[in-house]
Amino acid sequence: MKIGILTYIYAVNHGSILQAKAVEGVMRSVYPSADIRFINYAPHRGLYKEIKNNLINRRFISGTMVLNKFRKVISNEMKFWGDLKVTDNYQEASEYIEELGLDLICIGSDTVFESRPNKLGYAPFPPNIYFGNSTINSKFISISASADRSFKKCWSTDALETVKKNLAAFDYISVRDRFTGEFLSDAFDIPIDSITMLPDPTFSFESPEVFKRRGYVVLDVSSRLLSKRVYNHFHEKGLTVISPMANRYSDSNLRGRIDPYQWASLYANSYCNVTNRFHGTVFSIKGGADFVAVDESPEYALGAK
């Protein structure tokens, strides 16, 4: 049996890589004798955005280090079907995947069912290949997929009808959050009782014990005001404040210095975490660390509900 996993492989995001590996682990536990590989696809929109954000800024050196860390993990630990295909064209992506001749295509996890404005989104506007294609001769399922922070107003009438037909052809749909289940049911007339709520697969992922002491606090938020308050609060308690990315209010910035596995370990073994990362919250829970989860999504400032 040939199984392909289609997700955000080339998103420069620690959680995306860990999700992809966790989905692979889940699929191997269910289909131990199958040939399971990742589908080597990246949307041009998302890939360009990731490279631009890391290289065209004042932190060029650490941005280069970030990209190199991700390149090593992807090239060393992920087996792929086919050569890399980069396109935003729905038809081109569909033809590329159909030629792989896969028995089963597993989509997710991550926010693969998203629809967001140009400057915010990673995937092309729907219809895109992350919603499947009913004309491809493969079975489709989704694993803990999310439409987190999607805007309904981004969808055209034609896109709605195409995605509705494609999702109706899925053999199994599972989502990681209630919002996504209700979103799919409302927008695409999918019976809500046919959508399964499934925990994010990274809850099953064991991080290595790279960071073993709990005398530090992880600070991973964008707000400068909140960062300053967190930094001052924990400094008064004699704790070291570490930022996995770049934050002026920290004792140590690890941007470009840690890979996704080390990132997970950083969260899991800390004294406390203040984060705007979904997977930062996941690994806080898994490691038994106290945490404060802050949602700084720009959609809330724009009045999205």
Side-chain angles (χ1 to χ4, degrees):
M1 189 176 183
K2 297 169 63 177
I3 299 176
I5 299 172
L6 180 62
T7 188
Y8 292 167
I9 294 295
Y10 292 96
V12 184
N13 180 293
H14 294 96
S16 293
I17 297 295
L18 296 174
Q19 274 181 307
K21 292 297 292 182
V23 170
E24 180 186 24
V26 169
M27 298 306 292
R28 290 195 187 284
S29 70
V30 178
Y31 302 103
S33 61
D35 188 356
I36 303 172
R37 308 182 196 181
F38 294 97
I39 295 174
N40 206 358
Y41 166 76
H44 181 272
R45 171 188 182 184
L47 188 62
Y48 174 76
K49 173 187 171 186
E50 299 295 314
I51 294 173
K52 178 183 176 182
N53 287 349
N54 281 282
L55 296 185
I56 307 178
N57 61 40
R58 59 189 178 86
R59 301 188 184 96
F60 170 81
I61 294 177
S62 63
T64 302
M65 294 168 63
V66 167
L67 294 175
N68 190 48
K69 285 284 185 183
F70 279 85
R71 180 190 62 79
K72 286 183 177 179
V73 172
I74 292 170
S75 61
N76 293 340
E77 301 199 24
M78 296 185 170
K79 291 177 61 179
F80 288 101
W81 296 106
D83 297 325
L84 175 61
K85 179 70 172 182
V86 180
T87 182
D88 284 344
N89 184 279
Y90 177 55
Q91 188 60 34
E92 288 180 3
S94 298
E95 291 173 357
Y96 167 75
I97 291 176
E98 187 169 29
E99 290 175 0
L100 298 176
L102 301 172
D103 299 299
L104 176 65
I105 296 174
C106 173
I107 295 178
S109 50
D110 221 323
T111 57
V112 289
F113 287 162
E114 70 178 356
S115 178
R116 304 177 70 195
N118 254 326
K119 294 182 180 180
L120 301 175
Y122 179 81
F125 281 129
N128 62 56
I129 197 59
Y130 295 107
F131 288 92
N133 188 325
S134 60
T135 67
I136 295 177
N137 189 28
S138 302
K139 289 183 179 296
F140 280 87
I141 65 173
S142 71
I143 299 292
S144 300
S146 179
D148 182 32
R149 300 175 294 174
S150 287
F151 278 92
K152 290 184 180 179
K153 65 182 180 182
C154 288
W155 298 75
S156 68
T157 301
D158 289 343
L160 281 168
E161 291 304 312
T162 300
V163 173
K164 183 184 296 185
K165 180 169 64 176
N166 291 338
L167 287 175
F170 273 55
D171 281 70
Y172 174 77
I173 295 178
S174 69
V175 299
R176 78 179 185 194
D177 53 88
R178 185 175 293 107
F179 167 82
T180 301
E182 294 174 351
F183 179 86
L184 296 181
S185 178
D186 178 55
F188 308 112
D189 301 327
I190 300 174
I192 192 69
D193 58 2
S194 70
I195 300 172
T196 303
M197 287 278 287
L198 193 67
D200 190 275
T202 46
F203 276 108
S204 67
F205 186 84
E206 297 301 326
S207 60
E209 291 188 9
V210 180
F211 297 88
K212 296 184 179 181
R213 61 188 179 90
R214 289 186 177 268
Y216 65 89
V217 175
V218 175
L219 174 60
D220 194 7
V221 295
S222 301
S223 168
R224 290 185 178 180
L225 177 60
L226 178 58
S227 295
K228 183 177 181 180
R229 289 179 175 177
V230 170
Y231 180 78
N232 291 337
H233 174 77
F234 285 108
H235 251 236
E236 291 177 0
K237 295 181 176 292
L239 292 163
T240 300
V241 178
I242 297 176
S243 173
M245 296 303 287
N247 193 314
R248 69 172 66 180
Y249 298 106
S250 65
D251 299 301
S252 178
N253 286 288
L254 300 181
R255 184 173 191 259
R257 301 181 184 278
I258 54 175
D259 63 28
Y261 303 105
Q262 295 166 331
W263 179 84
S265 177
L266 182 71
Y267 270 100
N269 295 291
S270 70
Y271 171 79
C272 177
N273 303 307
V274 181
T275 182
N276 61 2
R277 303 287 182 178
F278 171 76
H279 289 102
T281 302
V282 169
F283 286 103
S284 298
I285 294 171
K286 286 180 63 63
D290 291 334
F291 67 93
V292 177
V294 182
D295 199 327
E296 299 178 295
S297 302
E299 287 85 349
Y300 294 114
L302 296 173
K305 296 181 180 179

